[in-house]
Amino acid sequence: DKVIKYKDNTLFHTFDWNDMIEKTFHTEKMFFKILKDNEQIGLIIGHKKKKGPFMLFGSPMRQTATHFMGILTDKQEELSEIHDSVWSYLKEKEKINYLEFNYKKNFGFNNKGDWHVKMPKTFIVNLKKTEDKLLASFEKRARTAIRKAKKNKVQIRKTLRPTKQQIDHFYEMMKQSHGKSNIEPIFPLKFYYNLFSEENKNAYLYEAVYNENVISGALILVYNDWMNYHSAGSILKYRNLNANNLLQWQVMTDGIEN
């Protein structure tokens, strides 16, 4: 309830998400009320972690599978002042050396030497359109790819609580997506194990299936009227089937329906 009361709340602000992040990435989650004249005007949720000689605080912490968070407040015109106050408090009380916020939208204030504000590079799709209008807004090659995948008899399925075998295969597909670079996926396997727990109600594993083989997959987060295409991977030898295009289209149509 403390999070839901603010209109800019996201899945990444929820207690369940931050408990899972703390468990996975060994950070220390922290929650602070922001008061003015003894009235609560905001809430800050973030994570603290020591890196070398420095103590860092991030909302969110970098490289913890959390795209954005930031301060929750209905006094957005006072955000810059709130940032200064939060920085002063954390520097004095928690011995923080570096503070970073990452918001889902641009509030128009500049970074300062002591604290930094960033925005994720995100492609946003409006799902309030009808399927026909949304499909018509795509480039011709995207529409062709979706039709081709259907013609190739690619099927899409989604799972709220995938098995360990499904998660392991999804992770291997993400590895394959890096091709010959041999770069591991950005987030560890245990993140996906912890996310798809029995308590999970906000994450779905979408899979593209061809001849009973899972050839593509994506982690989709769902919260209120918002969906997030979080992580994805595929088997390279099947890329000519355009399974990724059909999978993404299925995610969008599910969003329109719900």
Side-chain angles (χ1 to χ4, degrees), residues 5-40:
K5 66 179 287 189
Y6 297 103
K7 64 181 181 180
D8 285 326
N9 79 86
T10 71
L11 172 64
F12 301 132
H13 288 97
T14 61
F15 290 1
D16 287 346
W17 179 269
N18 285 282
D19 286 345
M20 185 269 296
I21 293 300
E22 180 182 57
K23 177 181 177 181
T24 302
F25 295 98
H26 307 293
T27 61
E28 180 184 348
K29 68 179 183 297
M30 306 185 80
F31 303 88
F32 300 99
K33 293 180 181 178
I34 301 170
L35 305 176
K36 184 176 182 179
D37 299 327
N38 293 322
E39 177 188 355
Q40 183 175 340

Side-chain angles (χ1 to χ4, degrees), residues 1-11 13-15 32-36 39-45 70-76 82 104-105 223-224:
D1 292 344
K2 294 178 181 178
V3 171
I4 293 173
K5 66 179 287 189
Y6 297 103
K7 64 181 181 180
D8 285 326
N9 79 86
T10 71
L11 172 64
H13 288 97
T14 61
F15 290 1
F32 300 99
K33 293 180 181 178
I34 301 170
L35 305 176
K36 184 176 182 179
E39 177 188 355
Q40 183 175 340
I41 62 168
L43 183 69
I44 181 168
I45 305 165
I71 293 170
L72 292 173
T73 180
D74 293 328
K75 305 283 187 180
Q76 294 179 354
I82 292 173
K104 68 177 180 179
K105 63 182 181 181
Y223 183 74
N224 294 337

Side-chain angles (χ1 to χ4, degrees), residues 170-186:
F170 173 56
Y171 202 75
E172 286 301 315
M173 289 193 293
M174 285 195 288
K175 287 183 178 180
Q176 282 201 32
S177 295
H178 290 290
K180 298 179 181 179
S181 61
N182 293 319
I183 300 174
E184 290 289 313
I186 296 174

Side-chain angles (χ1 to χ4, degrees), residues 109-139:
F109 35 62
N110 298 320
N111 290 329
K112 294 190 176 182
D114 294 332
W115 51 260
H116 298 261
V117 176
K118 295 185 177 183
M119 281 185 60
K121 295 180 180 179
T122 305
F123 184 76
I124 299 174
V125 177
N126 180 2
L127 298 180
K128 293 182 179 180
K129 301 178 180 179
T130 64
E131 286 188 27
D132 290 341
K133 287 185 176 180
L134 182 58
L135 188 61
S137 70
F138 293 174
E139 293 182 358

Side-chain angles (χ1 to χ4, degrees), residues 152-157 165-166 169 173 207-216 235 237-238 241:
N152 288 326
K153 301 188 184 306
V154 175
Q155 301 292 320
I156 307 298
R157 68 188 184 197
Q165 183 179 6
Q166 285 178 284
H169 182 66
M173 289 193 293
E207 297 170 306
V209 183
Y210 175 71
N211 286 344
E212 299 184 359
N213 297 309
V214 176
I215 63 173
S216 177
I235 298 177
K237 70 178 182 178
Y238 293 109
L241 298 176

